Amino acid sequence: MKNRALTIAAVVLVAISIGLGVYISQRIGSPIREPEAPPTAQREPTPPPTEEKTREVKVFRVVVENNEPRLKSSVQSVPDGDPIRSALSKLVEQGSNGGTVNPIPKGTKLLGVEVKDGLAKVDFSREFRDNFAGGSEGEALVIAVILRTMDQFDEVKKVQILVEGKPIDSLGHADLSEPLDVGWVSPEFSGE
Amino acid sequence: MLVLASASAWAKPVSLVVGGKAIFLHTTPVIDDDEVFVPLTALRAIGASAKEDGAARGGEQKLDVTSASGNKFSCKARIIDGNPMLPVRDIAEELGAFVVWDKEKNTLSIRAKLEKVEFDGVRLKVRTSFPLGYDLVESSWTRSEKKLILDIPGLQVPRSADDLVENATKIPIRLGMRDEETTRLVFDLPFTVKARKEGPARTKEVTISVSPSLKDAPAPERVADPQEGMNMPDEKPKPVAAPPAEISGIGYQDRGSKRIDVTIDANAAAKYTTYMLREPDRFVIELANARLIADPVERDIRHAIATGMRMSQFNADTVRVVLDLTRPVAFDVRQEKSGKLTISLELPRGAGGSLAGKTIVLDPGHGGSETGANANGCQEKNLNLAVALRAEKLLKDAGAIVLMTRKTDKTVALKERPLFANRHSADLFISIHHNAMGSANKVSGTETFYHGNDASSRALAHCLQSEIVAAAKLPDRKVKSDYQRYPGSGFAVLRGSTMPAALVEVAFLDHAGDAACARDGNFQQKVAEAITRGIRIYIEGNPNPPPRRPVTKVGGPAEEKPRPKPEEKPEQKPEPKPSTRIETPRDTSPAAHEQAGPDNDSESDSLVPKGRVK
């Protein structure tokens, strides 16, 4: 009998505490809310799903319309591991076809890319220099597609073009001996 | 313990918008007799705070309020359902807030006020009266439109914000309401830049850093419509532009035989675009979103380099000024904050006198191991040299001293070339090149580069380009600054010279048609002759200047009798188009005036022919 009374008392107690808990949580939950800051301030970029193994990068090439070359990007899927290297590889390897032109000199291979403190050192094979057959226009386009492709990576602020590990003076007109700012692109070529 | 002011018989719940977004308060604002009351928690959303000053009495609570800018003031809150509520419109000024009550939507919007925009070319600072979030948009959605766009939701700009803008660059900054809630700043850029946010996501001082620097960048060649970019391309355009600048007069100051300054009076800084035209030589400046409030001007000038000036309303929102010149000039345009424009037209450096006796450096591009462009069986280095040697002979025959950076197929370092010209104190440096873009038969034509913003070099490039295009008859790819290729740096070969310098790209060797021309000796001779003529025109002026019109009067525009035009009574002047006004929420004027008016082309006979000047 005593046990039963205790059980009832316990059940009642539990019921009361649950009821109270619900009540309190309701009281706390609904009307007592701080004013929200404008959502713009709180909006965080949604983190990419971690399980994904590829990411998309923009790779630039050249189209000519009305006698004027300009840049055009294509979105390509690359392994998530080293997107800068992947994007540059895609850039170098993409072929020219009827409509679009890859201005990177034929046969050029990407030997390596190293990013440190905002400076990307991009190392090309000797074909980059030896097979360059353009004039100032072609030169500007080569530089533009490299810089625009690198520009999508926030960690890259400057680009130094190397050939077989060494800086080059020029492809003929522009001074390439120093690192180039990623924004250093002919405004005439800019495009998406 | 009853909640919400809506329980009160006379109070209606109101939604509150701050920073462009609806915010939720556990006590909603209430409206009473056109005054809007907000709870103290709303102050936090606009960076302000309040402290009770004593106890509530008679349904009122005295408060000490501190605004986001640190402005301290006291005010009385009304106690509504036990909560102190602030009459927000009464204290908007003290809070640095712009308060809009939309009766229909039952919405209260509290916006920050724009306090200051500062831009030094590297850093943009926008100060607002209370902290806001912001969005940065870098955009170049077509080839010719480079823009940096900053959106600040919840910021109100005044109808005329010019006083608030401190711009140390030549980059025009346009300011307007993108929509009811959002202020948009649009920078029209001469080249793309990378912009980065600095500081917190929500701030009273929005700071954006820009690289490369726009400090010394030229204004964009193309003047954007005030509306352009105010809305995203897929958005419905909304009226946001500033009222037109009023152009009230034009005059000139004789600065001696080598320089003349032309001034254009305006009450606001109009966006402008400039052109150089040849044959006859003219300088054209077009003022966008501008209205000529004086009579059109057609006036002769007695000066060695200018013979006349003309100004008229070219179309509904463009005022065009044409200056008739005796020769190609170096020009510089300065715009004061007041809007006044001064155009200096000057005899370019190295010009004047005769070609005979001048020292000209010709620089055949590339050479030796540096072949340059290589296509269609043409090696650029050889063609550059062929044209240069022909030009050398022609210039020497004309009595000029000609120095060649190379006369044979040898390698000459890029940076050595301008230094060679500097060492010989040459008057002009001309680099001769042929182009290629890296793909067959896609691009064709002639273009000429000058360095940076050098006005004399630009004049030289114009002289060369117009003569070569006339002779070679290939597509005119125009005169360009090498900064258009490499912002802030340019071509190595142009950068190092102290004298006016230009680089000619005669033709595209990877275009079969261009290459066939470039290989041809007759063509090379024609180009060499054109280069020689261009140099002569630069130095000696136009051999066939336009006949001077008989000088009628050298008075100001007011003394001139314009042709009678009965329809031009002041009260009938076309009103500014509704689309060129900043619509503020308090602007209750009807949205659609019918009276945009047809383009006023009645003066175009006295200006360059109708249509866009090339």
Side-chain angles (χ1 to χ4, degrees):
Chain A
M1 257 342 217
K2 203 179 174 187
N3 276 350
R4 197 171 167 197
L6 266 176
T7 311
I8 290 168
V11 166
V12 168
L13 204 68
V14 167
I16 287 171
S17 57
I18 287 172
L20 198 69
V22 167
Y23 175 76
I24 289 170
S25 68
Q26 274 175 348
R27 294 299 305 155
I28 293 170
S30 58
I32 309 162
R33 244 201 296 172
E34 287 299 301
E36 275 182 35
T40 40
Q42 295 186 333
R43 203 191 298 140
E44 297 273 338
T46 38
T50 41
E51 66 272 16
E52 203 150 338
K53 292 211 177 61
T54 62
R55 61 166 282 179
E56 290 186 331
V57 293
K58 276 196 218 171
V59 179
F60 284 82
R61 56 172 70 200
V62 176
V63 291
V64 181
E65 281 169 9
N66 303 322
N67 205 27
E68 295 291 346
R70 63 181 179 81
L71 303 194
K72 189 179 166 67
S73 68
S74 60
V75 175
Q76 308 219 10
S77 191
V78 297
D80 199 23
D82 190 352
I84 295 180
R85 192 191 175 97
S86 304
L88 283 168
S89 297
K90 292 268 180 196
L91 172 72
V92 168
E93 289 158 13
Q94 63 181 335
S96 298
N97 57 44
T100 63
V101 178
N102 178 11
I104 304 289
K106 282 192 179 58
T108 300
K109 288 179 188 62
L110 179 70
L111 300 183
V113 55
E114 178 193 307
V115 183
K116 200 177 161 189
D117 300 330
L119 172 65
K121 290 186 176 175
V122 182
D123 193 8
F124 292 119
S125 64
R126 56 181 300 125
E127 288 84 358
F128 179 79
R129 183 189 175 137
D130 294 351
N131 289 355
F132 174 71
S136 65
E137 190 88 12
E139 177 186 38
L141 291 168
V142 169
I143 295 167
V145 292
I146 295 170
L147 294 182
R148 282 303 293 268
T149 299
M150 295 301 274
D151 196 16
Q152 68 191 302
F153 303 107
D154 279 345
E155 60 267 48
V156 177
K157 296 187 174 74
K158 283 175 180 285
V159 176
Q160 169 95 56
I161 295 172
L162 306 175
V163 169
E164 305 204 320
K166 294 195 187 78
I168 55 169
D169 282 345
S170 179
L171 286 176
H173 308 81
D175 184 355
L176 302 181
S177 59
E178 299 285 322
L180 314 175
D181 197 291
V182 282
W184 202 56
V185 171
S186 174
E188 292 170 27
F189 301 149
S190 67
E192 288 309 304
Chain B
M1 205 44 206
L2 273 175
V3 231
L4 299 194
S6 56
S8 170
W10 47 265
K12 286 185 288 179
V14 169
S15 21
L16 178 63
V17 175
V18 176
K21 303 283 176 189
I23 70 163
F24 304 97
L25 302 171
H26 101 267
T27 307
T28 77
V30 294
I31 171 109
D32 176 33
D33 224 8
D34 270 354
E35 181 51 275
V36 188
F37 293 88
V38 297
L40 300 190
T41 44
L43 288 182
R44 202 175 306 173
I46 61 170
S49 61
K51 237 172 62 186
E52 293 174 2
D53 179 10
R57 255 185 301 158
E60 283 185 342
Q61 168 72 57
K62 240 179 118 192
L63 294 166
D64 289 325
V65 181
T66 309
S67 79
S69 307
N71 181 28
K72 290 182 199 298
F73 60 98
S74 72
C75 78
K76 280 178 185 159
R78 193 190 288 187
I79 307 293
I80 300 172
D81 291 332
N83 298 311
M85 303 283 278
L86 286 163
V88 68
R89 286 212 292 208
D90 265 6
I91 58 169
E93 194 61 42
E94 286 93 332
L95 286 171
F98 187 87
V99 177
V100 183
W101 162 236
D102 186 331
K103 217 167 190 165
E104 311 241 295
K105 292 183 192 148
N106 205 35
T107 298
L108 177 74
S109 165
I110 305 180
R111 295 174 207 157
K113 287 182 173 173
L114 180 69
E115 291 185 341
K116 191 94 202 159
V117 177
E118 283 171 28
F119 186 52
D120 63 3
V122 177
R123 199 155 273 119
L124 167 73
K125 286 187 176 177
V126 181
R127 281 213 306 278
T128 57
S129 60
F130 57 76
L132 293 171
Y134 59 101
D135 288 317
L136 186 60
V137 187
E138 289 159 80
S139 154
S140 49
W141 48 70
T142 72
R143 193 177 59 79
S144 56
E145 293 170 21
K146 266 75 53 186
K147 296 187 198 316
L148 180 66
I149 295 171
L150 177 65
D151 280 342
I152 309 182
L155 177 65
Q156 183 74 33
V157 285
R159 192 179 284 258
S160 173
D162 290 0
D163 294 349
L164 304 177
V165 180
E166 236 170 68
N167 182 2
T169 71
K170 289 185 179 161
I171 309 302
I173 303 177
R174 291 182 282 123
L175 206 72
M177 295 301 286
R178 176 191 151 190
D179 53 45
E180 267 199 359
E181 286 291 339
T182 306
T183 285
R184 174 165 274 195
L185 281 83
V186 181
F187 294 69
D188 298 301
L189 305 174
F191 47 78
T192 46
V193 297
K194 186 123 179 160
R196 284 190 175 85
K197 297 177 178 186
E198 287 185 358
R202 190 161 171 269
T203 173
K204 244 179 118 288
E205 185 167 284
V206 174
T207 308
I208 307 281
S209 67
V210 172
S211 74
S213 168
L214 291 163
K215 206 169 274 179
D216 301 313
E221 292 265 311
R222 179 179 156 282
V223 170
D225 183 76
Q227 276 275 138
E228 189 183 287
M230 275 294 164
N231 302 283
M232 301 307 272
D234 54 344
E235 284 176 355
K236 213 174 125 225
K238 279 185 187 160
V240 277
E246 293 181 342
I247 312 301
S248 51
I250 187 168
Y252 71 88
Q253 290 85 44
D254 192 327
R255 303 284 190 202
S257 63
K258 290 182 177 174
R259 177 173 154 195
I260 180 169
D261 285 357
V262 174
T263 51
I264 300 170
D265 295 318
N267 73 342
K271 277 59 184 193
Y272 61 85
T273 182
T274 57
Y275 310 93
M276 286 280 275
L277 297 173
R278 295 234 43 243
E279 298 188 54
D281 289 301
R282 282 150 295 162
F283 169 84
V284 180
I285 182 166
E286 286 182 352
L287 310 175
N289 192 22
R291 203 146 52 98
L292 184 61
I293 58 165
D295 290 323
V297 174
E298 192 162 351
R299 185 179 162 192
D300 292 309
I301 294 175
R302 288 177 195 270
H303 192 275
I305 59 176
T307 60
M309 58 190 190
R310 292 170 281 148
M311 175 163 78
S312 80
Q313 189 80 44
F314 183 67
N315 60 35
D317 42 50
T318 307
V319 171
R320 179 181 278 184
V321 173
V322 181
L323 305 172
D324 298 307
L325 309 173
T326 59
R327 55 158 298 129
V329 298
F331 69 87
D332 177 53
V333 181
R334 296 182 302 283
Q335 189 169 40
E336 288 166 33
K337 250 191 177 164
S338 65
K340 183 179 176 179
L341 281 157
T342 304
I343 303 147
S344 290
L345 304 170
E346 227 172 324
L347 189 70
R349 287 181 291 138
S354 154
L355 171 58
K358 295 273 183 185
T359 304
I360 315 289
V361 168
L362 293 181
D363 171 43
H366 311 282
S369 62
E370 306 288 335
T371 56
N374 198 342
N376 286 314
C378 303
Q379 286 212 330
E380 184 195 345
K381 61 176 185 178
N382 298 334
L383 299 180
N384 297 343
L385 184 60
V387 173
L389 288 170
R390 288 170 189 269
E392 179 196 22
K393 176 163 194 321
L394 292 164
L395 287 163
K396 278 187 170 162
D397 289 349
I401 301 153
V402 186
L403 302 171
M404 305 280 284
T405 56
R406 65 178 176 101
K407 295 188 78 164
T408 57
D409 183 16
K410 68 170 184 179
T411 310
V412 181
L414 216 46
K415 289 171 186 168
E416 170 56 26
R417 298 166 189 249
L419 297 180
F420 169 82
N422 294 350
R423 274 202 302 278
H424 289 92
S425 307
D427 293 297
L428 302 176
F429 176 89
I430 290 150
S431 194
I432 297 169
H433 284 246
H434 289 71
N435 217 337
M437 62 80 65
S439 183
N441 302 326
K442 287 215 157 55
V443 182
S444 150
T446 306
E447 60 197 10
T448 303
F449 289 92
Y450 61 95
H451 179 59
N453 306 317
D454 185 72
S456 293
S457 297
R458 179 171 51 202
L460 176 60
H462 269 285
C463 293
L464 295 168
Q465 175 75 5
S466 64
E467 292 303 316
I468 298 170
V469 166
K473 297 189 170 68
L474 296 178
D476 183 359
R477 296 175 55 77
K478 305 281 161 60
V479 167
K480 298 168 181 175
S481 166
D482 61 358
Y483 278 11
Q484 269 172 263
R485 282 283 175 277
Y486 304 111
S489 162
F491 290 152
V493 81
L494 292 181
R495 195 171 52 189
S497 63
T498 53
M499 70 290 309
L503 185 148
V504 175
E505 294 278 8
V506 177
F508 275 77
L509 298 182
D510 51 7
H511 187 278
D514 281 25
C517 290
R519 270 198 301 266
D520 175 44
N522 289 331
F523 180 90
Q524 292 167 5
Q525 184 64 21
K526 271 195 238 168
V527 171
E529 284 166 6
I531 289 170
T532 306
R533 266 198 312 280
I535 293 170
R536 187 190 282 282
I537 290 167
Y538 178 84
I539 293 168
E540 299 179 358
N542 192 341
N544 316 302
R548 267 171 194 268
R549 281 186 305 276
V551 173
T552 47
K553 209 177 255 183
V554 193
E559 296 173 44
E560 299 223 354
K561 283 267 180 281
R563 274 156 285 176
K565 292 229 246 130
E567 75 277 17
E568 270 207 353
K569 286 177 201 148
E571 63 272 20
Q572 287 184 2
K573 274 191 180 153
E575 292 207 3
K577 280 197 275 183
S579 66
T580 59
R581 302 174 59 176
I582 290 183
E583 300 284 345
T584 64
R586 286 189 177 170
D587 187 352
T588 52
S589 59
H593 297 276
E594 287 282 16
Q595 210 184 345
D599 284 4
N600 181 359
D601 271 329
S602 57
E603 288 305 311
S604 60
D605 61 341
S606 68
L607 292 172
V608 256
K610 195 180 166 190
R612 197 106 178 126
V613 185
K614 284 207 251 171

